[in-house]
Amino acid sequence: MATRITTVAFLGIEAVPVDVQVQISPGLPRFNIVGLPDKAVGESRERVRAALIASGLALPAKHISVNLAPADLPKEGSHYDLPIALGLMAAMGAIPGDMLERFMVLGELALDGSVSPVTGILPAAIAANARDLGIICPAACGAEAAWAGENIDIVAIDTLFALVNHLAGRQMAARPQPIRALSNATGPDLADIRGEEVARRALEVAAAGGHNFLMVGPPGAGKSMLAQRLPSILPPLNPRELLDVSMIASIAGELKGGQISDHRPFRAPHHSASMAALVGGGLRVRPGEASLAHNGVLFLDELPEFQAQALDSLRQPLESGETVIARANARVTYPSRFQLVAAMNPCKCGMAGTPGHTCRRGEKCAADYQGRVSGPFLDRIDIRIDVPAVSATDMIGSKPGEPSVVVAQRVATARDIQRRRYAELDLSGVHTNSAAPSSAIEQIVAPDAESRDLLLKAAETFNLSARAYHRVLKVARTLADLAGSETVSRPHIAEALSYRINMANA
């Protein structure tokens, strides 16, 4: 009779239950694992054998079969070690098998019998709670599992021997408690930015509506400083967003100590990042920077230096809010609704358009450099501004700007208006103007005759695409929300167009 232990396989952030079936039968001594295991799962034979010996047990000289069902689902990762070991121990009569029926089990085994941390504990714990199961996991992951709910039974252990004592009732393991990351009160503040009033205004608009944002300017103009201060004016994550962000971080192994934070993610990959690094992929199909920035900010500095193919791979996530990675044997979807912030120099030498500077290559230098970024990619950016250089004189004579806490209050008010608006329209999952569908934004903005004339002239002059037209309306709606206006008027349309015209002239 086979012993059964429940564990999971991961498809994106979804934890799919897997039945670990262990059978010990007469025959030649062999240890087989079947059910589409990858190399890490296949190597668990040696880890399990050594861990059991270190715990005082030896495998019988019989035929051992381990089946991971469903057999047509690929199994990846080292978290199958612990369920296989417990299945063997139950089959050998070392522990009561009926006690394991109410648990989902994950954990990697070391050769000395200790249980090492693994990724994906949070989505696994949520899946276990949904099936009215408890979870057995490494002690280092206990705090992470505790976020799945107050009622879930969690056994977080550091060795196989400790787990045996817990199941036997000799030494009970304490239930771990969830840990919240401390707020970083000393993070970058907008008050550090001197001058750059236009850039500060555009940053506030981008934050209020969740709009994609591009800054073009010479080196040292403050583009990176502005981008790094965007999270300081964004509202904290709501519970649903926090859950999604934490599950992605758990799959990627980035929940340090099981701590979660309501601060929005800020990801800033180097421009040498590959397409797989940006959108996800690889042998085990892990989330990329686009997914790790879900419900937060993805900052691409030195935009034209990124590989063209890697940048264009972001076009689908920018439009749909999710990344779909297709392989011959799997199709994985990760949430990827992020706010793109990009920065670039105007040309290769970085000084094109700067007063008093003449580029040796002339206009061709700027045209060639900016031409590295495709038009379809730029069409998905809502706001584009020029960030001029700030001189030392400007720094000395200027006063500190508004601190982030003041700007964040205006952003929060505008976002609250948007949240209520789309809730009344029954648009689930839409909380900002940037995420609103085109049909809804046309109905919400409803430009008057004067605004329509302005839009028509701009569309004819700058050849705006249908996507660009709708994005202008979204930015205009955000400007009206910041101003506390129920209607979108001509000044809002004009300012939104100014951000788009800068892009058309690039």
Side-chain angles (χ1 to χ4, degrees), residues 302-319:
E302 307 296 346
L303 184 66
E305 301 295 339
F306 283 82
Q307 301 174 23
Q309 186 181 21
L311 283 183
D312 285 338
S313 68
L314 293 173
R315 283 154 54 181
Q316 182 216 6
L318 283 170
E319 202 67 26

Side-chain angles (χ1 to χ4, degrees), residues 57-242:
L57 292 172
L59 291 177
K62 294 184 178 181
H63 188 88
I64 300 173
S65 298
V66 177
N67 179 42
L68 308 177
D72 60 347
L73 178 68
K75 316 301 188 306
E76 301 174 339
S78 59
H79 65 273
Y80 293 95
D81 291 2
L82 186 56
I84 291 174
L86 292 183
L88 280 168
M89 294 170 71
M92 294 161 57
I95 57 175
D98 56 343
M99 295 187 66
L100 299 173
E101 294 178 355
R102 53 189 180 88
F103 286 100
M104 187 174 282
V105 184
L106 294 90
E108 177 185 332
L109 289 175
L111 300 185
D112 61 355
S114 60
V115 184
S116 304
V118 293
T119 61
I121 290 294
L122 179 57
I126 292 172
N129 196 22
R131 293 167 61 90
D132 292 327
L133 295 174
I135 187 169
I136 297 176
C137 66
C141 302
E144 182 179 337
W147 285 106
E150 297 179 354
N151 299 323
I152 183 173
D153 189 5
I154 302 173
V155 179
I157 42 86
D158 51 10
T159 64
L160 265 179
F161 191 74
L163 178 57
V164 172
N165 285 337
H166 176 88
L167 295 176
R170 291 189 291 267
Q171 187 175 0
M172 306 299 291
R175 188 187 192 280
Q177 298 299 316
I179 303 174
R180 182 179 291 274
L182 297 176
S183 299
N184 183 13
T186 60
D189 194 284
L190 269 180
D192 302 332
I193 305 294
R194 301 292 184 91
E196 303 294 9
E197 295 303 323
V198 173
R200 286 175 58 101
R201 165 67 172 175
L203 189 71
E204 180 178 341
V205 174
H211 301 290
N212 300 325
F213 183 40
L214 171 63
M215 295 174 284
V216 181
K223 304 184 295 295
S224 297
M225 286 185 65
L226 285 161
Q228 291 163 0
R229 282 149 182 79
L230 176 57
S232 68
I233 61 175
L234 292 174
L237 296 166
N238 64 42
R240 177 69 233 185
E241 292 173 335
L242 178 60

Side-chain angles (χ1 to χ4, degrees), residues 54 62 71 87 91 120 209-210 249 307 367 401 416 427 457 467 471:
K62 294 184 178 181
Q307 301 174 23
D416 190 53
L427 292 174
K457 291 178 181 178
R467 179 188 288 116
R471 289 183 180 270

Side-chain angles (χ1 to χ4, degrees), residues 135-463:
I135 187 169
I136 297 176
C137 66
C141 302
E144 182 179 337
W147 285 106
E150 297 179 354
N151 299 323
I152 183 173
D153 189 5
I154 302 173
V155 179
I157 42 86
D158 51 10
T159 64
L160 265 179
F161 191 74
L163 178 57
V164 172
N165 285 337
H166 176 88
L167 295 176
R170 291 189 291 267
Q171 187 175 0
M172 306 299 291
R175 188 187 192 280
Q177 298 299 316
I179 303 174
R180 182 179 291 274
L182 297 176
S183 299
N184 183 13
T186 60
D189 194 284
L190 269 180
D192 302 332
I193 305 294
R194 301 292 184 91
E196 303 294 9
E197 295 303 323
V198 173
R200 286 175 58 101
R201 165 67 172 175
L203 189 71
E204 180 178 341
V205 174
H211 301 290
N212 300 325
F213 183 40
L214 171 63
M215 295 174 284
V216 181
K223 304 184 295 295
S224 297
M225 286 185 65
L226 285 161
Q228 291 163 0
R229 282 149 182 79
L230 176 57
S232 68
I233 61 175
L234 292 174
L237 296 166
N238 64 42
R240 177 69 233 185
E241 292 173 335
L242 178 60
L243 181 63
D244 289 344
V245 168
S246 300
M247 286 198 294
I248 296 171
S250 177
I251 292 291
E254 297 201 3
L255 277 187
K256 297 179 180 179
Q259 300 181 18
I260 70 173
S261 171
D262 60 359
H263 287 244
R264 295 187 178 270
F266 182 84
R267 307 291 300 190
H270 190 262
H271 57 73
S272 61
S274 65
M275 183 171 69
L278 282 181
V279 298
L283 185 62
R284 296 181 59 189
V285 192
R286 285 294 179 258
E289 295 292 331
S291 299
L292 292 168
H294 179 60
N295 290 325
V297 178
L298 178 64
F299 176 46
L300 303 183
D301 200 5
E302 307 296 346
L303 184 66
E305 301 295 339
F306 283 82
Q307 301 174 23
Q309 186 181 21
L311 283 183
D312 285 338
S313 68
L314 293 173
R315 283 154 54 181
Q316 182 216 6
L318 283 170
E319 202 67 26
S320 64
E322 62 181 18
T323 300
V324 180
I325 305 169
R327 295 291 184 267
N329 61 347
R331 185 178 185 275
V332 178
T333 301
Y334 285 110
S336 304
R337 188 168 297 282
F338 57 87
Q339 181 177 0
L340 176 68
V341 177
M344 60 184 286
N345 296 327
C347 65
K348 186 67 177 177
C349 64
M351 304 301 292
T354 302
H357 174 80
T358 302
C359 184
R360 293 181 180 180
R361 297 181 58 200
E363 295 181 358
K364 190 176 187 302
C365 180
D368 290 348
Y369 191 67
Q370 296 186 20
R372 295 182 184 181
V373 185
S374 69
F377 180 86
L378 289 175
D379 202 36
R380 289 165 168 80
I381 294 178
D382 305 338
I383 298 174
R384 191 270 200 191
I385 64 164
D386 293 322
V387 183
V390 179
S391 66
T393 304
D394 297 330
M395 293 289 293
I396 296 171
S398 63
K399 297 180 180 179
E402 286 182 309
S404 292
V405 64
V406 175
V407 180
Q409 291 175 354
R410 295 197 296 265
V411 170
T413 301
R415 287 222 177 187
D416 190 53
I417 293 171
Q418 296 166 55
R419 181 186 56 79
R420 292 198 305 268
R421 174 189 300 128
Y422 296 116
E424 292 173 359
L425 293 175
D426 199 24
L427 292 174
S428 61
V430 178
H431 305 292
T432 59
N433 291 326
S434 64
S438 301
S439 56
I441 205 68
E442 287 184 352
Q443 174 187 350
I444 292 167
V445 174
D448 55 23
E450 190 178 12
S451 298
R452 282 198 301 271
D453 289 342
L454 181 60
L455 281 167
L456 181 60
K457 291 178 181 178
E460 292 175 348
T461 304
F462 300 103
N463 195 25

